[in-house]
Amino acid sequence: MAKRGKIAAILLNKCPRCHEGDMFKTGITGGIYNMNDPCPYCGQRFETEPGFFWGAMYIGYGLSGGYMLTSVTLLMFLAGLSVNMAFLVAILGGIVILPINARLARSIWIHIYIGYDKELVDEIEAKNHTADA
């Protein structure tokens, strides 16, 4: 059984095949797209083909649109800001969360195409267990 589910693996930017290895080498301050390739745990290549992550732009666009729509609506109706001020605050917030959005879009995109492989994880854990014994 997976130690973490698909949603947790996406949000934590974990490998789609093993849900263990980190997709990114460093935190956001170390570079937005500073990715491991292959996965340090199972060896899955993240850049499966040249330009693979171009599709993640569409995911990012949807995430950004959802953020803007939600934040402007909440700022206008709950905080009582004018339309212009609500858009200004939302745009500034969007700039701040841009790196998180970009990484999340890549994580969602690769999880769409590569599934969890329980047998592989069990095999790796068995090898690690016998090496520790």
Side-chain angles (χ1 to χ4, degrees):
M1 181 192 283
K3 292 180 181 169
R4 62 177 58 91
K6 186 84 144 167
I7 301 294
I10 289 170
L11 294 175
L12 294 171
N13 296 317
K14 297 295 183 180
C15 172
R17 191 165 87 169
C18 67
H19 293 185
E20 293 293 324
D22 291 322
M23 286 179 54
F24 298 95
K25 294 178 186 176
T26 61
I28 291 175
T29 57
I32 297 174
Y33 301 119
N34 193 6
M35 294 186 73
N36 285 315
D37 202 16
C39 171
Y41 188 79
C42 71
Q44 171 67 43
R45 288 197 58 231
F46 295 134
E47 187 80 25
T48 58
E49 60 187 42
F52 175 72
F53 286 109
W54 279 64
M57 290 188 305
Y58 296 105
I59 302 290
Y61 180 72
L63 292 172
S64 295
Y67 160 78
M68 288 297 290
L69 180 64
T70 303
S71 60
V72 168
T73 302
L74 292 175
L75 287 168
M76 285 175 56
F77 294 110
L78 295 182
L81 296 179
S82 68
V83 175
N84 291 338
M85 187 55 76
F87 270 100
L88 178 64
V89 171
I91 288 169
L92 292 174
I95 291 169
V96 170
I97 67 165
L98 175 70
I100 297 167
N101 184 18
R103 283 189 171 198
L104 182 59
R106 279 190 172 211
S107 185
I108 292 169
W109 185 252
I110 197 166
H111 277 266
I112 290 171
Y113 289 97
I114 300 172
Y116 180 72
D117 188 348
K118 182 183 180 335
E119 290 79 25
L120 175 74
V121 173
D122 291 343
E123 182 181 316
I124 292 170
E125 287 178 357
K127 284 182 186 176
N128 290 342
H129 183 67
T130 57
D132 291 341

